[in-house]
Amino acid sequence: MFSLRMFNRAMQSLGSVKAVGIMLVGAAILSCSPKLDWRTVNTERLGYTALFPEKPKQAERNLPYAGLELQQTLEVVQIDDAIMSITTIAVPSSINAQAGALLEQVQKAILQSANALQTQPMKHPSQYVIAGPSRSKGLAEDYLFEIQNPSGKRWMRVRWIMRPDGEGGSRIYQQSLLILAPANAKVFQSELTAEKWDPFFDEFRVQ
């Protein structure tokens, strides 16, 4: 069963980033918006290329599921008030038929942890890049919601993508953006979908 505490220890090792759940931050986060210096991070063994504003830190662990230990990898960056992460779960061919059910568990667990099921998340249409000379686009749906926790309000944008791994299995990707919630709640959607985040989401490239 998917656990929201799976990356607590790994996240706590990332300096000022401390996990409460999978991406709920208890450390103080600055409210300024820096100029983002995007660079390409090629994670070939995980089947994707992404743009991050600095070199991400990485953590791995095994996820018990269906009698197996699935490899799960986290890449994460914190830039002042923004935390960007990509989580990858490798589903082997022997249980690939259960990949869809695992994806549903991951989605439900994240939304429950954020109390997003009590307040319906907003959905934002988005896209990602499929590797190849044509750079064709895959369609995705991002979830936008507010997180309530003792350290204060956070806003989160998250998407899930499932792709074949070329060996009969699948990879489940979770892309997340977590920011400190401004006092003015009217900017909720516009801040989470601001153009400055487009490189991270729109240029995510999968095999």
Side-chain angles (χ1 to χ4, degrees), residues 158-179:
V158 60
R159 70 159 58 145
W160 292 276
I161 298 167
M162 186 164 66
R163 295 285 300 171
D165 65 4
E167 299 179 353
S170 297
R171 295 187 182 100
I172 296 173
Y173 301 107
Q174 177 182 296
Q175 268 188 289
S176 303
L177 167 67
L178 186 71
I179 61 174

Side-chain angles (χ1 to χ4, degrees), residues 130-136 205:
I130 299 174
S134 64
R135 283 179 57 89
S136 59
R205 182 181 304 181

Side-chain angles (χ1 to χ4, degrees), residues 41-44 46-51 86-88 127-140 159-166 171-175 200-207:
V41 176
N42 188 350
T43 313
E44 186 174 350
L46 298 176
Y48 72 81
T49 300
L51 292 182
I86 299 174
T87 304
T88 307
Q127 61 187 17
Y128 58 94
V129 180
I130 299 174
S134 64
R135 283 179 57 89
S136 59
K137 302 288 186 179
L139 299 180
R159 70 159 58 145
W160 292 276
I161 298 167
M162 186 164 66
R163 295 285 300 171
D165 65 4
R171 295 187 182 100
I172 296 173
Y173 301 107
Q174 177 182 296
Q175 268 188 289
F200 178 64
F201 286 100
D202 292 353
E203 294 302 317
F204 181 65
R205 182 181 304 181
V206 295
Q207 294 177 358

Side-chain angles (χ1 to χ4, degrees), residues 185-203:
K186 292 183 179 180
V187 302
F188 170 75
Q189 183 175 11
S190 61
E191 180 61 25
L192 284 174
T193 59
E195 185 177 350
K196 63 184 176 182
W197 310 124
D198 285 352
F200 178 64
F201 286 100
D202 292 353
E203 294 302 317

Side-chain angles (χ1 to χ4, degrees), residues 37-206:
D37 180 19
W38 299 100
R39 76 279 314 274
T40 301
V41 176
N42 188 350
T43 313
E44 186 174 350
R45 69 182 182 86
L46 298 176
Y48 72 81
T49 300
L51 292 182
F52 279 99
E54 67 176 36
K55 184 178 179 180
K57 297 183 183 296
Q58 188 176 101
E60 295 183 355
R61 63 153 290 153
N62 291 328
L63 169 65
Y65 185 78
L68 299 176
E69 297 287 325
L70 308 188
Q71 184 184 63
Q72 188 169 34
T73 305
L74 171 71
E75 290 196 311
V76 60
V77 164
Q78 178 179 354
I79 300 292
D80 289 339
D81 65 337
I83 298 175
M84 286 157 275
S85 69
I86 299 174
T87 304
T88 307
I89 301 175
V91 182
S93 58
S94 60
I95 60 166
N96 193 52
Q98 300 180 50
L102 175 58
L103 173 58
E104 290 181 3
Q105 290 185 32
V106 170
Q107 293 171 325
K108 186 176 181 180
I110 294 296
L111 296 175
Q112 282 183 332
S113 174
N115 294 320
L117 296 182
Q118 299 178 17
T119 303
Q120 193 68 18
M122 297 181 66
K123 296 182 181 180
H124 177 71
S126 61
Q127 61 187 17
Y128 58 94
V129 180
I130 299 174
S134 64
R135 283 179 57 89
S136 59
K137 302 288 186 179
L139 299 180
E141 194 169 56
D142 296 358
Y143 291 76
L144 317 178
F145 49 87
E146 184 179 272
I147 295 169
Q148 299 278 358
N149 68 76
S151 64
K153 293 182 180 179
R154 303 288 187 269
W155 288 347
M156 191 170 191
R157 175 179 174 181
V158 60
R159 70 159 58 145
W160 292 276
I161 298 167
M162 186 164 66
R163 295 285 300 171
D165 65 4
E167 299 179 353
S170 297
R171 295 187 182 100
I172 296 173
Y173 301 107
Q174 177 182 296
Q175 268 188 289
S176 303
L177 167 67
L178 186 71
I179 61 174
L180 185 68
N184 181 4
K186 292 183 179 180
V187 302
F188 170 75
Q189 183 175 11
S190 61
E191 180 61 25
L192 284 174
T193 59
E195 185 177 350
K196 63 184 176 182
W197 310 124
D198 285 352
F200 178 64
F201 286 100
D202 292 353
E203 294 302 317
F204 181 65
R205 182 181 304 181
V206 295

